[in-house]
Structures are given as C-alpha cells and as structure tokens.
Amino acid sequence: WEIDFTDPTYKQAGNRFVISGLTGSGKTSILDAITLALYGRTPRQEKIYGAEGNGVMTADKGNCYAQVTYQCKKGIFVSRWSQRKGRDRADGQLQPAEGLIYGVEQPDSPLFSHTTGAREELAQANAAIIQLDYSEFCRSIMLAQGEFSKFLTCDEEERAEILEKLNGMENYRRIAQKNENGSGRRKQE
C-alpha cells in the first residue's frame, strides 16, 4: 500500500492529518510502517513478539518492506527497511534486515546502506538526520496506542527536551543556560 500525504487532496486540510477508522482497520499499521521504515522496529511489534520476533511480515509472504519519504531541516530523504526469507519463499529461513537512506536529490548516493542486521544502524542514521531517536520519535511524533500516555507522564525535564527538539528551541535553552551561568559568575565576583 502507498499513502501520498503530498497529494493535493490532503493539502486542503492545511497539512494536518487525522487517521481514523474502526478497530482493526489498519490505523496503527500505518504508524508501524512509518516507524519501521525509519528505525527498523515498531512499538507494537516489540510488545507482541519481543525484541527478536518478526511480527511485520505477512505469514504467507517471502519478503516485506516499509519505505517513507520525509522532509526535515536537513532536506528530503527516503528511508527503507526490508527483510526477506530465503529464496523469497514463505517457508524460507528469515534473513537479516536491510536498511537504506538516501536524499531525494541524490538517489544513487546513499547516506546509509546496510545489508546485514540493519536495525540499530538504520535507527542511528535516521536519528542523526531527524534529530530524534526512536524513543523520542515514538513519544512525540507517532504517539501510537499507549505511547501518548508515556509522553504525558514522563518527567517535566524529559518532556521539555523532546518539545525543544521538535520546535528547534534547544539552542535557545543553551543560550539561556550560558547567560544564567555568566550572570551567576558576575554576582559571585
């Protein structure tokens, strides 16, 4: 399946999206696919299958992938996570996941390409680009089932740091801290 959020139909909504539907209609699956493409894992997958399980590939398939094109301060990028079974057959041995990240302007020059066990490396590469690690992304962007409550219940300092990153305000905080330290020194002298 493909969802193009740049389609003019969506732009009429002012770039705000609501994913709604009946239970079991696939709302969380959309969020899972986005998170999987960026970080090689999903919150729901880990809850159901554990850290090592594969809960994303349809049982009668020999391969699967999730791909997302995203825009951030650093540009427009494509991130892809994929996994297959031996000989691309449903009964084949599960192979290590693969990851790929490239800029839309330079598809032949990947920023990241890993073909064996790409989960952590893909997550780190996208975190460096997006400036949000997996945990921060899940709490502040995806807010998948149950994740919103974690964001609301995390301590004030942690929530402030996440919101600062989202709004690009972390530099202002550093400046304020330097000013406080500087003014504190003057008072002590």
Side-chain angles (χ1 to χ4, degrees):
W1 294 93
E2 181 176 318
I3 301 171
D4 181 1
F5 289 110
T6 64
D7 184 279
T9 306
Y10 294 117
K11 291 206 180 265
Q12 294 173 2
N15 292 327
R16 296 181 199 266
F17 304 96
V18 174
I19 301 171
S20 65
L22 298 173
T23 301
S25 64
K27 300 177 300 294
T28 303
S29 294
I30 295 169
L31 304 179
D32 283 347
I34 293 168
T35 309
L36 187 63
L38 294 172
Y39 297 99
R41 60 185 171 154
T42 72
R44 184 167 62 164
Q45 174 190 7
E46 290 173 7
K47 289 176 187 171
I48 297 171
Y49 299 96
E52 298 302 317
N54 183 335
V56 298
M57 191 179 305
T58 304
D60 65 342
K61 302 296 178 191
N63 59 61
C64 66
Y65 75 92
Q67 179 172 302
V68 65
T69 302
Y70 65 90
Q71 182 173 0
C72 63
K73 292 177 186 176
K74 295 183 179 184
I76 302 174
F77 301 90
V78 175
S79 182
R80 179 184 176 102
W81 175 94
S82 62
Q83 193 165 33
R84 63 182 198 82
K85 293 182 180 176
R87 298 182 307 276
D88 289 323
R89 292 178 45 157
D91 62 351
Q93 180 79 19
L94 190 63
Q95 303 298 305
E98 298 180 3
L100 175 68
I101 304 171
Y102 59 88
V104 170
E105 300 290 323
Q106 300 170 327
D108 296 330
S109 301
L111 300 169
F112 172 83
S113 180
H114 204 293
T115 57
T116 55
R119 178 174 155 171
E120 289 305 317
E121 292 86 356
L122 179 69
Q124 291 170 0
N126 270 310
I129 295 168
I130 300 169
Q131 298 296 298
L132 292 172
D133 66 23
Y134 171 76
S135 177
E136 293 166 333
F137 186 84
C138 288
R139 281 180 297 180
S140 59
I141 302 294
M142 300 310 294
L143 303 177
Q145 296 172 348
E147 294 300 312
F148 185 65
S149 63
K150 283 184 186 177
F151 175 72
L152 292 176
T153 59
C154 69
D155 67 54
E156 210 171 294
E157 180 75 17
E158 191 176 7
R159 187 171 35 251
E161 287 175 15
I162 292 168
L163 292 173
E164 284 173 0
K165 277 188 174 183
L166 290 174
N167 295 315
M169 303 296 284
E170 66 270 13
N171 292 333
Y172 294 110
R173 181 181 194 177
R174 287 187 203 118
I175 292 169
Q177 287 173 338
K178 283 182 182 180
N179 287 337
E180 286 175 11
N181 291 339
S183 64
R185 280 190 212 129
R186 283 188 218 120
K187 288 179 184 176
Q188 291 175 358
E189 294 173 358

